[in-house]
Amino acid sequence: MAYKRQIDRLPIIPADAKEHNVTCHYCIVGCGYKAYTWPLHKQGGTNPDENKFGVDLSEQQYQDTEAWYAPSMYNVVRQDGKDVHLVVKPDVDCVVNSGLGSIRGARMAENRPSKVTGTQQQRLSDPLVWRNGVWQPTSWEDAMDLVTRVTARVVTEGSEDDLVVSMFDHGGSAGGYENTWGTGKLYFESMKIKNCRIHNRPAYNSEVHSTRDMGIGELNYAYEDYTLTDTIFMVGANSMETQTNLYLNHMVPGLQNGARMVVVDPRRTLTVHSSEQYAGPDNILHLAIKEGTDMALFNAILTQIVDQGWMDSDFIGNSTFQGGEAVAEDSAHPAGLGSLDYAMQTCRTSLEEAAEICGVPAADIQKAAEWIAMPHDDGSRRKCVTCYEKGIIWGNDNYRTIGALVNIAMATGNVGREGGGVCRLGGHQEGYYRPSDAHVGRPAEYIDQFLIRGLGGVHHIWACDHYKTTLNAAEFKRVHKRRADMVKDAIDAAAGGTRDQLIDAIVAAINAGGLFVVDVDIIHSQIGQNAHVILPACELNEMNLTSMNGERRLRLSEKYMDPYGNSKPDCLIAAEMARSMEHVLREMGHDAYADQFKGYDWQTEEDAFMDGFNVGNPEVTYDRLRAMGNDGVQEPVVGYENGVLVGTKRLYADGTFDRHGRDDKKALFCAAGWRGWQAAGKAREQATHRFWINNVRANIFWQNQFLDQKNEFVQDRFPYPFVEMNPDDMVDMDLKPGDLIEIINDNGVTQGMAYPTPSSKRDQVAMVFGSPAGSQGNVVNPGVNELVLPDYKHCWGDIRKVSNATRETAGITFKSKEVML
Amino acid sequence: MKCNRLVDAGRRQFLRGGMMATAGAVATTVMTPEQAKARALARVEMPTNRLANIADLVVNEPLDITYPDEESLGVLLKLGEAVEGGVGPDGDIVAFSVLCPHKGWMMTYSPEDKSLNCPGHHSRFDCENGGQQIWGHATNNLPQFLLSVDDKGDIYANGVDELIYGRLSNVL
């Protein structure tokens, strides 16, 4: 039976409630919300003058009303040390979402920690240290001293290469410009850490190297381009689920305005189904290609465009490189780059070749090329906006595949123009501002393998949970735990000794192959089980935080509540760590090294913002951003006039390209040569297992469920990770809906719940990624591309039943997720 | 089979203006909302309203109802198979709000798989499983009206298990 909150009435927001700008914590779209807070002993009333909306709340409010909020949008939280009412609801005036809430963002209030209502009591409130065989709470001073004394010993007795850092690089949530600057300054300025990785991949690298090398930054359009275009070309993305209000508030109006849509995805996604409802099936072309064959498809489309003369010759002549090869293929460039003619020597692919490789009819590929590029009857060029995400970013041959897609947008002049753009859709919001990472090198170190090989002595982890979100996770977990346990055992054995004796014992264990683990996070995560020191961070709205969305829209999301317990913003934790390093190093006699850790005298997150982002963007301050509200300003900010920050609607509007840093400002085409499975081990794995295990997202979960794992509404719906299966495959294997299954291959094992899905192809399943109850990464092999980009999407395994449905899984609905109108 | 699909603009007008014409025809109020809200209790006191008689119901054909007042549109269903929370001799009678808890659009019933579906943003809810959101944007499952049946086969609504869209108190 479905979970019900049994709430029959909510407190009314009084007319004088405090109002705060909020950008959703979660996906890249960054919907605008408003937070309202007011004292616990006060309440609004139903009369228009008694409530924030100025309407009579004793009457029913109708569809799309501003004057209603769901129970999930309400909570009681701490503000300036006092309990207050909180409502966080979608902002009807924000251009991003126009009042639409998502199933993720509209639960922000409910997912706040509250000692009054009992929500999110999993949040960390105090530092924890491994002591006496368990994690024990302690003071910041004590915990940080242990962190920096061990770290300082290891980097001075060895080198900074012995310090391994996993750190988020995203915006929103607990990311943002303040926090990436804090960690960036610590590890890239005070230190030069090169053994580092990002939250979702095993190295410190771009997910989209090729588009940048071609001169085109990956977020170059405005969301309004979806409403101005003739064709939406979506690849490896499922925006109805994962960029929900970009889809509903921008793509759907485009479709309803006559735009067609081409979707490239092996799976029939809900985006395909919903788009058919909105635009009519005749206006949606779904190319359900064989997994991993996108590049061949793109090359065939490009070939059609060139051979039919549908290119934008002016754009190509004026804005793209003309002299053959500009950049040769080498260890840092998995494909050569240059002129269109140069690229075509490699890319040329016939419709028939592509149809054979991709498993879709040649006529459909031809149709896609027509929808993307064939000029209108009056000769005017066709506008096409191209969007892509993890299907190819975490797919086969990342560099060349993304390059091949960007080639199409360049050949048709669909960059920097209304109704155009070639953009990744994004996962988190962005919020990256750090000193140069050039010292990391390219290709960057494959950090997971570095740790697995027994290298590194200290591991600092900032809001990453590799247990749930890395590849080859089964092996990674085994080794990480074994090495961390060596240090735990040493700490246990040193009980009763002095601090110096403890440090000596830890360093001795490290020298014997152990790993000292420091985990900074908002919850006690799965990888946190290996930590020796756990430092509690706070989230967005427990601090002020700036981030930008998928159209580079920069907003200040305002603090409206206190950090939980003694938790702190990541930037201030980094500053405290730096100050402690300076102190410890000076005490150790390393004065010159200690001096490198000066400059962290930050009292607030705004100090970190001014130390970092503001230095590079002097027009941008908190006060000015606050005044820009939930619409914010689109980066780059180019001025401040008449009290308003002046932004940039779309990049490259002048036809010059600079993301590659070339002086000629000409964009480069990519010589994207098809070579089948690029990453090691994929072809063999495909040949030896029955099922392709597609790795997918669902709208209800945010990322690895770090908060949702304690949200009853979410866990009631999907108590185990779903594995969508064709019903005939289930019959074959005597599986019933909700049965627990294991997925097995040479890399490891994971578990999930069989979810019958008629639109699934035979022998292909779609498993939701990042679940705490079954990590898909366990069965993904360690194969990466030349630049250490993982291919999470391509994984094959066998399936066997573990047990009949549990009481929880038997009680949920298994009906099709496709709407039936 | 596809259920009746309404044009968005038309539906909006329908919901803002003329909905009373189709709603509430079969409801007989035992306790008025005014009587219910006059008392200050910890929980909202819900009225007990007669919705229909079992004899009025046809298996898998939705009957329009309102509860707890004529502004709150719902649907009464005899599903044909017993479900948890179902009432009547066959344990298969249930009732739900038809206002989507996402943005308040009026949903349509799909007899094909016994679900309620939102034409606005494609959320959908399972009438055989307590109104659980099968997929969608709402942050709660669909409000279900609690039912009882008397000796004469009259079906009454007595309560609701979630906040109904468009009202901050289930009884206005």
Side-chain angles (χ1 to χ4, degrees), chain A residues 706-745:
Chain A
F706 54 90
L707 293 179
D708 290 337
Q709 65 185 348
K710 296 296 181 188
N711 185 287
E712 189 57 30
F713 171 70
V714 173
Q715 294 303 314
D716 172 74
R717 178 68 187 95
F718 292 114
Y720 285 77
F722 64 73
V723 181
E724 295 179 353
M725 296 184 73
N726 183 286
D728 293 334
D729 284 339
M730 290 179 59
V731 170
D732 271 3
M733 304 178 69
D734 196 26
L735 289 172
K736 295 186 176 54
D739 282 356
L740 302 190
I741 56 176
E742 276 186 338
I743 296 171
I744 313 110
N745 64 17

mmCIF file of all heavy atoms in Angstrom, chain A residues 706-745:
data_model
loop_
_atom_site.group_PDB
_atom_site.id
_atom_site.type_symbol
_atom_site.label_atom_id
_atom_site.label_comp_id
_atom_site.label_asym_id
_atom_site.label_seq_id
_atom_site.Cartn_x
_atom_site.Cartn_y
_atom_site.Cartn_z
ATOM 1 N N PHE A 706 21.861 10.047 -1.720
ATOM 2 C CA PHE A 706 22.443 10.322 -0.397
ATOM 3 C C PHE A 706 21.415 10.859 0.589
ATOM 4 O O PHE A 706 21.471 10.542 1.772
ATOM 5 C CB PHE A 706 23.673 11.223 -0.504
ATOM 6 C CG PHE A 706 23.461 12.520 -1.247
ATOM 7 C CD1 PHE A 706 23.057 13.664 -0.589
ATOM 8 C CD2 PHE A 706 23.691 12.595 -2.601
ATOM 9 C CE1 PHE A 706 22.884 14.858 -1.256
ATOM 10 C CE2 PHE A 706 23.508 13.790 -3.292
ATOM 11 C CZ PHE A 706 23.105 14.928 -2.625
ATOM 12 N N LEU A 707 20.471 11.657 0.114
ATOM 13 C CA LEU A 707 19.378 12.067 1.006
ATOM 14 C C LEU A 707 18.162 11.155 0.831
ATOM 15 O O LEU A 707 17.480 10.803 1.791
ATOM 16 C CB LEU A 707 18.982 13.522 0.743
ATOM 17 C CG LEU A 707 20.035 14.574 1.107
ATOM 18 C CD1 LEU A 707 19.532 15.981 0.782
ATOM 19 C CD2 LEU A 707 20.421 14.491 2.578
ATOM 20 N N ASP A 708 17.899 10.768 -0.409
ATOM 21 C CA ASP A 708 16.692 9.982 -0.686
ATOM 22 C C ASP A 708 16.704 8.615 -0.008
ATOM 23 O O ASP A 708 15.658 7.998 0.161
ATOM 24 C CB ASP A 708 16.517 9.800 -2.201
ATOM 25 C CG ASP A 708 16.135 11.110 -2.883
ATOM 26 O OD1 ASP A 708 15.591 11.992 -2.186
ATOM 27 O OD2 ASP A 708 16.385 11.252 -4.090
ATOM 28 N N GLN A 709 17.880 8.143 0.369
ATOM 29 C CA GLN A 709 17.903 6.839 1.051
ATOM 30 C C GLN A 709 17.181 6.911 2.398
ATOM 31 O O GLN A 709 16.819 5.877 2.952
ATOM 32 C CB GLN A 709 19.339 6.350 1.222
ATOM 33 C CG GLN A 709 20.191 7.220 2.135
ATOM 34 C CD GLN A 709 21.646 6.758 2.167
ATOM 35 O OE1 GLN A 709 21.964 5.684 1.688
ATOM 36 N NE2 GLN A 709 22.528 7.574 2.725
ATOM 37 N N LYS A 710 16.968 8.127 2.886
ATOM 38 C CA LYS A 710 16.198 8.294 4.128
ATOM 39 C C LYS A 710 14.911 9.079 3.877
ATOM 40 O O LYS A 710 14.409 9.756 4.772
ATOM 41 C CB LYS A 710 17.053 9.010 5.187
ATOM 42 C CG LYS A 710 18.277 8.223 5.623
ATOM 43 C CD LYS A 710 17.894 6.927 6.324
ATOM 44 C CE LYS A 710 19.144 6.167 6.762
ATOM 45 N NZ LYS A 710 18.808 4.808 7.275
ATOM 46 N N ASN A 711 14.404 8.997 2.676
ATOM 47 C CA ASN A 711 13.134 9.655 2.359
ATOM 48 C C ASN A 711 12.097 8.575 2.082
ATOM 49 O O ASN A 711 12.204 7.825 1.108
ATOM 50 C CB ASN A 711 13.312 10.566 1.135
ATOM 51 C CG ASN A 711 12.062 11.364 0.835
ATOM 52 O OD1 ASN A 711 11.071 10.817 0.357
ATOM 53 N ND2 ASN A 711 12.086 12.646 1.124
ATOM 54 N N GLU A 712 11.107 8.507 2.932
ATOM 55 C CA GLU A 712 10.171 7.378 2.876
ATOM 56 C C GLU A 712 9.365 7.356 1.583
ATOM 57 O O GLU A 712 9.059 6.293 1.040
ATOM 58 C CB GLU A 712 9.227 7.429 4.089
ATOM 59 C CG GLU A 712 8.364 6.201 4.250
ATOM 60 C CD GLU A 712 9.155 4.903 4.366
ATOM 61 O OE1 GLU A 712 10.283 4.936 4.883
ATOM 62 O OE2 GLU A 712 8.643 3.864 3.911
ATOM 63 N N PHE A 713 9.016 8.535 1.077
ATOM 64 C CA PHE A 713 8.258 8.598 -0.181
ATOM 65 C C PHE A 713 9.036 7.914 -1.299
ATOM 66 O O PHE A 713 8.481 7.170 -2.114
ATOM 67 C CB PHE A 713 7.980 10.063 -0.525
ATOM 68 C CG PHE A 713 7.405 10.285 -1.888
ATOM 69 C CD1 PHE A 713 6.102 9.897 -2.179
ATOM 70 C CD2 PHE A 713 8.157 10.887 -2.883
ATOM 71 C CE1 PHE A 713 5.572 10.101 -3.446
ATOM 72 C CE2 PHE A 713 7.639 11.094 -4.141
ATOM 73 C CZ PHE A 713 6.338 10.696 -4.427
ATOM 74 N N VAL A 714 10.332 8.127 -1.335
ATOM 75 C CA VAL A 714 11.171 7.561 -2.394
ATOM 76 C C VAL A 714 11.401 6.069 -2.163
ATOM 77 O O VAL A 714 11.236 5.248 -3.073
ATOM 78 C CB VAL A 714 12.522 8.308 -2.461
ATOM 79 C CG1 VAL A 714 13.479 7.619 -3.435
ATOM 80 C CG2 VAL A 714 12.295 9.755 -2.871
ATOM 81 N N GLN A 715 11.765 5.722 -0.939
ATOM 82 C CA GLN A 715 12.104 4.321 -0.671
ATOM 83 C C GLN A 715 10.876 3.420 -0.737
ATOM 84 O O GLN A 715 10.982 2.230 -1.038
ATOM 85 C CB GLN A 715 12.800 4.192 0.685
ATOM 86 C CG GLN A 715 14.161 4.883 0.720
ATOM 87 C CD GLN A 715 15.116 4.380 -0.359
ATOM 88 O OE1 GLN A 715 15.254 3.173 -0.566
ATOM 89 N NE2 GLN A 715 15.763 5.304 -1.056
ATOM 90 N N ASP A 716 9.705 3.970 -0.463
ATOM 91 C CA ASP A 716 8.463 3.215 -0.601
ATOM 92 C C ASP A 716 8.209 2.860 -2.069
ATOM 93 O O ASP A 716 7.684 1.794 -2.368
ATOM 94 C CB ASP A 716 7.316 4.075 -0.063
ATOM 95 C CG ASP A 716 5.946 3.472 -0.324
ATOM 96 O OD1 ASP A 716 5.612 2.487 0.360
ATOM 97 O OD2 ASP A 716 5.225 3.990 -1.200
ATOM 98 N N ARG A 717 8.603 3.751 -2.969
ATOM 99 C CA ARG A 717 8.370 3.496 -4.392
ATOM 100 C C ARG A 717 9.372 2.488 -4.939
ATOM 101 O O ARG A 717 9.005 1.580 -5.677
ATOM 102 C CB ARG A 717 8.446 4.815 -5.179
ATOM 103 C CG ARG A 717 8.272 4.655 -6.698
ATOM 104 C CD ARG A 717 6.863 4.220 -7.048
ATOM 105 N NE ARG A 717 6.706 3.900 -8.463
ATOM 106 C CZ ARG A 717 6.804 2.667 -8.968
ATOM 107 N NH1 ARG A 717 7.068 1.640 -8.172
ATOM 108 N NH2 ARG A 717 6.620 2.453 -10.250
ATOM 109 N N PHE A 718 10.632 2.691 -4.616
ATOM 110 C CA PHE A 718 11.684 1.796 -5.135
ATOM 111 C C PHE A 718 12.593 1.354 -3.984
ATOM 112 O O PHE A 718 13.673 1.928 -3.785
ATOM 113 C CB PHE A 718 12.520 2.502 -6.208
ATOM 114 C CG PHE A 718 11.769 2.800 -7.475
ATOM 115 C CD1 PHE A 718 11.521 4.101 -7.856
ATOM 116 C CD2 PHE A 718 11.317 1.771 -8.297
ATOM 117 C CE1 PHE A 718 10.838 4.389 -9.034
ATOM 118 C CE2 PHE A 718 10.628 2.048 -9.477
ATOM 119 C CZ PHE A 718 10.389 3.355 -9.844
ATOM 120 N N PRO A 719 12.191 0.337 -3.235
ATOM 121 C CA PRO A 719 13.017 -0.089 -2.101
ATOM 122 C C PRO A 719 14.331 -0.731 -2.527
ATOM 123 O O PRO A 719 15.269 -0.802 -1.725
ATOM 124 C CB PRO A 719 12.133 -1.095 -1.366
ATOM 125 C CG PRO A 719 11.053 -1.463 -2.310
ATOM 126 C CD PRO A 719 10.920 -0.383 -3.326
ATOM 127 N N TYR A 720 14.406 -1.194 -3.763
ATOM 128 C CA TYR A 720 15.650 -1.721 -4.332
ATOM 129 C C TYR A 720 15.845 -1.039 -5.685
ATOM 130 O O TYR A 720 14.883 -0.555 -6.282
ATOM 131 C CB TYR A 720 15.551 -3.240 -4.568
ATOM 132 C CG TYR A 720 15.635 -4.061 -3.308
ATOM 133 C CD1 TYR A 720 14.538 -4.164 -2.450
ATOM 134 C CD2 TYR A 720 16.798 -4.746 -2.969
ATOM 135 C CE1 TYR A 720 14.605 -4.920 -1.287
ATOM 136 C CE2 TYR A 720 16.871 -5.509 -1.817
ATOM 137 C CZ TYR A 720 15.772 -5.585 -0.973
ATOM 138 O OH TYR A 720 15.852 -6.335 0.165
ATOM 139 N N PRO A 721 17.071 -1.036 -6.191
ATOM 140 C CA PRO A 721 17.262 -0.459 -7.521
ATOM 141 C C PRO A 721 16.478 -1.251 -8.558
ATOM 142 O O PRO A 721 16.539 -2.486 -8.574
ATOM 143 C CB PRO A 721 18.774 -0.575 -7.755
ATOM 144 C CG PRO A 721 19.258 -1.585 -6.778
ATOM 145 C CD PRO A 721 18.336 -1.517 -5.610
ATOM 146 N N PHE A 722 15.727 -0.544 -9.393
ATOM 147 C CA PHE A 722 14.964 -1.265 -10.413
ATOM 148 C C PHE A 722 15.871 -1.732 -11.537
ATOM 149 O O PHE A 722 16.870 -1.090 -11.865
ATOM 150 C CB PHE A 722 13.809 -0.412 -10.946
ATOM 151 C CG PHE A 722 14.196 0.839 -11.671
ATOM 152 C CD1 PHE A 722 14.748 0.802 -12.945
ATOM 153 C CD2 PHE A 722 13.987 2.084 -11.091
ATOM 154 C CE1 PHE A 722 15.088 1.950 -13.627
ATOM 155 C CE2 PHE A 722 14.327 3.255 -11.753
ATOM 156 C CZ PHE A 722 14.885 3.182 -13.020
ATOM 157 N N VAL A 723 15.525 -2.885 -12.074
ATOM 158 C CA VAL A 723 16.189 -3.404 -13.267
ATOM 159 C C VAL A 723 15.067 -3.667 -14.270
ATOM 160 O O VAL A 723 14.313 -4.643 -14.146
ATOM 161 C CB VAL A 723 16.966 -4.699 -12.970
ATOM 162 C CG1 VAL A 723 17.660 -5.198 -14.246
ATOM 163 C CG2 VAL A 723 17.996 -4.463 -11.876
ATOM 164 N N GLU A 724 14.920 -2.730 -15.219
ATOM 165 C CA GLU A 724 13.843 -2.872 -16.205
ATOM 166 C C GLU A 724 14.176 -4.029 -17.143
ATOM 167 O O GLU A 724 15.257 -4.060 -17.729
ATOM 168 C CB GLU A 724 13.684 -1.573 -16.997
ATOM 169 C CG GLU A 724 13.213 -0.394 -16.152
ATOM 170 C CD GLU A 724 13.093 0.894 -16.965
ATOM 171 O OE1 GLU A 724 13.494 0.894 -18.140
ATOM 172 O OE2 GLU A 724 12.602 1.887 -16.401
ATOM 173 N N MET A 725 13.224 -4.950 -17.286
ATOM 174 C CA MET A 725 13.449 -6.141 -18.118
ATOM 175 C C MET A 725 12.267 -6.366 -19.024
ATOM 176 O O MET A 725 11.114 -6.115 -18.644
ATOM 177 C CB MET A 725 13.600 -7.410 -17.251
ATOM 178 C CG MET A 725 14.784 -7.430 -16.331
ATOM 179 S SD MET A 725 14.920 -9.019 -15.432
ATOM 180 C CE MET A 725 15.492 -10.121 -16.746
ATOM 181 N N ASN A 726 12.546 -6.915 -20.194
ATOM 182 C CA ASN A 726 11.470 -7.330 -21.072
ATOM 183 C C ASN A 726 10.673 -8.457 -20.387
ATOM 184 O O ASN A 726 11.269 -9.400 -19.865
ATOM 185 C CB ASN A 726 12.065 -7.827 -22.394
ATOM 186 C CG ASN A 726 10.990 -8.200 -23.378
ATOM 187 O OD1 ASN A 726 10.344 -9.242 -23.218
ATOM 188 N ND2 ASN A 726 10.786 -7.383 -24.379
ATOM 189 N N PRO A 727 9.347 -8.384 -20.389
ATOM 190 C CA PRO A 727 8.548 -9.404 -19.688
ATOM 191 C C PRO A 727 8.809 -10.826 -20.210
ATOM 192 O O PRO A 727 8.734 -11.783 -19.432
ATOM 193 C CB PRO A 727 7.102 -8.966 -19.971
ATOM 194 C CG PRO A 727 7.198 -7.506 -20.238
ATOM 195 C CD PRO A 727 8.515 -7.275 -20.901
ATOM 196 N N ASP A 728 9.121 -10.967 -21.489
ATOM 197 C CA ASP A 728 9.400 -12.314 -22.005
ATOM 198 C C ASP A 728 10.706 -12.873 -21.436
ATOM 199 O O ASP A 728 10.822 -14.073 -21.191
ATOM 200 C CB ASP A 728 9.448 -12.299 -23.535
ATOM 201 C CG ASP A 728 8.076 -11.993 -24.138
ATOM 202 O OD1 ASP A 728 7.061 -12.287 -23.464
ATOM 203 O OD2 ASP A 728 8.021 -11.450 -25.250
ATOM 204 N N ASP A 729 11.679 -12.000 -21.241
ATOM 205 C CA ASP A 729 12.908 -12.445 -20.573
ATOM 206 C C ASP A 729 12.603 -12.905 -19.150
ATOM 207 O O ASP A 729 13.182 -13.877 -18.656
ATOM 208 C CB ASP A 729 13.944 -11.312 -20.530
ATOM 209 C CG ASP A 729 14.642 -11.083 -21.865
ATOM 210 O OD1 ASP A 729 14.646 -12.021 -22.699
ATOM 211 O OD2 ASP A 729 15.172 -9.982 -22.075
ATOM 212 N N MET A 730 11.696 -12.193 -18.504
ATOM 213 C CA MET A 730 11.346 -12.573 -17.126
ATOM 214 C C MET A 730 10.654 -13.928 -17.098
ATOM 215 O O MET A 730 10.929 -14.749 -16.217
ATOM 216 C CB MET A 730 10.480 -11.491 -16.477
ATOM 217 C CG MET A 730 11.266 -10.211 -16.197
ATOM 218 S SD MET A 730 10.277 -8.885 -15.453
ATOM 219 C CE MET A 730 9.689 -9.662 -13.943
ATOM 220 N N VAL A 731 9.784 -14.149 -18.061
ATOM 221 C CA VAL A 731 9.105 -15.452 -18.127
ATOM 222 C C VAL A 731 10.129 -16.560 -18.350
ATOM 223 O O VAL A 731 10.115 -17.598 -17.689
ATOM 224 C CB VAL A 731 8.036 -15.439 -19.245
ATOM 225 C CG1 VAL A 731 7.501 -16.842 -19.494
ATOM 226 C CG2 VAL A 731 6.903 -14.487 -18.874
ATOM 227 N N ASP A 732 11.038 -16.324 -19.268
ATOM 228 C CA ASP A 732 12.134 -17.277 -19.529
ATOM 229 C C ASP A 732 12.837 -17.708 -18.263
ATOM 230 O O ASP A 732 13.246 -18.853 -18.108
ATOM 231 C CB ASP A 732 13.231 -16.582 -20.374
ATOM 232 C CG ASP A 732 12.994 -16.713 -21.848
ATOM 233 O OD1 ASP A 732 11.963 -17.280 -22.220
ATOM 234 O OD2 ASP A 732 13.858 -16.226 -22.610
ATOM 235 N N MET A 733 13.051 -16.725 -17.412
ATOM 236 C CA MET A 733 13.892 -16.963 -16.234
ATOM 237 C C MET A 733 13.055 -17.200 -14.987
ATOM 238 O O MET A 733 13.594 -17.219 -13.878
ATOM 239 C CB MET A 733 14.809 -15.759 -16.024
ATOM 240 C CG MET A 733 15.655 -15.462 -17.249
ATOM 241 S SD MET A 733 16.686 -14.022 -17.032
ATOM 242 C CE MET A 733 17.826 -14.648 -15.809
ATOM 243 N N ASP A 734 11.736 -17.369 -15.193
ATOM 244 C CA ASP A 734 10.832 -17.619 -14.078
ATOM 245 C C ASP A 734 10.905 -16.502 -13.028
ATOM 246 O O ASP A 734 10.897 -16.752 -11.824
ATOM 247 C CB ASP A 734 11.132 -18.989 -13.437
ATOM 248 C CG ASP A 734 9.978 -19.436 -12.538
ATOM 249 O OD1 ASP A 734 8.833 -18.993 -12.778
ATOM 250 O OD2 ASP A 734 10.218 -20.200 -11.590
ATOM 251 N N LEU A 735 11.014 -15.284 -13.509
ATOM 252 C CA LEU A 735 11.068 -14.126 -12.611
ATOM 253 C C LEU A 735 9.713 -13.452 -12.553
ATOM 254 O O LEU A 735 9.053 -13.284 -13.580
ATOM 255 C CB LEU A 735 12.095 -13.106 -13.109
ATOM 256 C CG LEU A 735 13.561 -13.480 -12.988
ATOM 257 C CD1 LEU A 735 14.434 -12.442 -13.699
ATOM 258 C CD2 LEU A 735 13.963 -13.592 -11.516
ATOM 259 N N LYS A 736 9.340 -13.051 -11.350
ATOM 260 C CA LYS A 736 8.108 -12.289 -11.175
ATOM 261 C C LYS A 736 8.465 -10.853 -10.792
ATOM 262 O O LYS A 736 9.568 -10.597 -10.279
ATOM 263 C CB LYS A 736 7.250 -12.940 -10.095
ATOM 264 C CG LYS A 736 6.763 -14.324 -10.493
ATOM 265 C CD LYS A 736 5.810 -14.913 -9.486
ATOM 266 C CE LYS A 736 5.292 -16.249 -9.984
ATOM 267 N NZ LYS A 736 6.392 -17.180 -10.341
ATOM 268 N N PRO A 737 7.533 -9.936 -11.016
ATOM 269 C CA PRO A 737 7.821 -8.536 -10.658
ATOM 270 C C PRO A 737 8.237 -8.419 -9.190
ATOM 271 O O PRO A 737 7.582 -8.989 -8.306
ATOM 272 C CB PRO A 737 6.487 -7.827 -10.904
ATOM 273 C CG PRO A 737 5.809 -8.659 -11.944
ATOM 274 C CD PRO A 737 6.210 -10.074 -11.647
ATOM 275 N N GLY A 738 9.308 -7.712 -8.966
ATOM 276 C CA GLY A 738 9.765 -7.500 -7.596
ATOM 277 C C GLY A 738 10.707 -8.555 -7.078
ATOM 278 O O GLY A 738 11.259 -8.407 -5.978
ATOM 279 N N ASP A 739 10.908 -9.628 -7.831
ATOM 280 C CA ASP A 739 11.887 -10.626 -7.402
ATOM 281 C C ASP A 739 13.265 -9.980 -7.335
ATOM 282 O O ASP A 739 13.615 -9.125 -8.166
ATOM 283 C CB ASP A 739 11.935 -11.800 -8.393
ATOM 284 C CG ASP A 739 10.768 -12.769 -8.202
ATOM 285 O OD1 ASP A 739 9.965 -12.566 -7.252
ATOM 286 O OD2 ASP A 739 10.652 -13.713 -8.997
ATOM 287 N N LEU A 740 14.036 -10.404 -6.371
ATOM 288 C CA LEU A 740 15.396 -9.877 -6.258
ATOM 289 C C LEU A 740 16.318 -10.689 -7.154
ATOM 290 O O LEU A 740 16.254 -11.928 -7.175
ATOM 291 C CB LEU A 740 15.882 -9.944 -4.806
ATOM 292 C CG LEU A 740 15.030 -9.200 -3.777
ATOM 293 C CD1 LEU A 740 15.750 -9.150 -2.433
ATOM 294 C CD2 LEU A 740 14.694 -7.795 -4.242
ATOM 295 N N ILE A 741 17.148 -9.975 -7.877
ATOM 296 C CA ILE A 741 18.045 -10.636 -8.825
ATOM 297 C C ILE A 741 19.478 -10.173 -8.608
ATOM 298 O O ILE A 741 19.723 -9.106 -8.024
ATOM 299 C CB ILE A 741 17.631 -10.336 -10.286
ATOM 300 C CG1 ILE A 741 17.589 -8.824 -10.528
ATOM 301 C CG2 ILE A 741 16.292 -10.976 -10.603
ATOM 302 C CD1 ILE A 741 17.286 -8.453 -11.973
ATOM 303 N N GLU A 742 20.396 -11.006 -9.058
ATOM 304 C CA GLU A 742 21.808 -10.632 -9.082
ATOM 305 C C GLU A 742 22.253 -10.492 -10.520
ATOM 306 O O GLU A 742 21.828 -11.278 -11.382
ATOM 307 C CB GLU A 742 22.669 -11.711 -8.426
ATOM 308 C CG GLU A 742 22.753 -11.607 -6.930
ATOM 309 C CD GLU A 742 23.742 -12.617 -6.354
ATOM 310 O OE1 GLU A 742 24.046 -13.642 -7.003
ATOM 311 O OE2 GLU A 742 24.183 -12.375 -5.229
ATOM 312 N N ILE A 743 23.118 -9.534 -10.756
ATOM 313 C CA ILE A 743 23.777 -9.398 -12.058
ATOM 314 C C ILE A 743 25.239 -9.754 -11.837
ATOM 315 O O ILE A 743 25.884 -9.205 -10.928
ATOM 316 C CB ILE A 743 23.626 -7.974 -12.598
ATOM 317 C CG1 ILE A 743 22.151 -7.671 -12.849
ATOM 318 C CG2 ILE A 743 24.463 -7.780 -13.850
ATOM 319 C CD1 ILE A 743 21.846 -6.227 -13.177
ATOM 320 N N ILE A 744 25.713 -10.691 -12.657
ATOM 321 C CA ILE A 744 27.051 -11.245 -12.408
ATOM 322 C C ILE A 744 27.893 -11.132 -13.672
ATOM 323 O O ILE A 744 27.415 -11.422 -14.769
ATOM 324 C CB ILE A 744 26.979 -12.749 -12.049
ATOM 325 C CG1 ILE A 744 25.910 -13.004 -10.997
ATOM 326 C CG2 ILE A 744 28.327 -13.287 -11.599
ATOM 327 C CD1 ILE A 744 24.731 -13.740 -11.532
ATOM 328 N N ASN A 745 29.135 -10.739 -13.506
ATOM 329 C CA ASN A 745 30.135 -10.905 -14.570
ATOM 330 C C ASN A 745 31.504 -11.009 -13.916
ATOM 331 O O ASN A 745 31.598 -11.128 -12.677
ATOM 332 C CB ASN A 745 30.043 -9.802 -15.627
ATOM 333 C CG ASN A 745 30.351 -8.422 -15.070
ATOM 334 O OD1 ASN A 745 30.930 -8.281 -13.990
ATOM 335 N ND2 ASN A 745 29.969 -7.399 -15.817
#
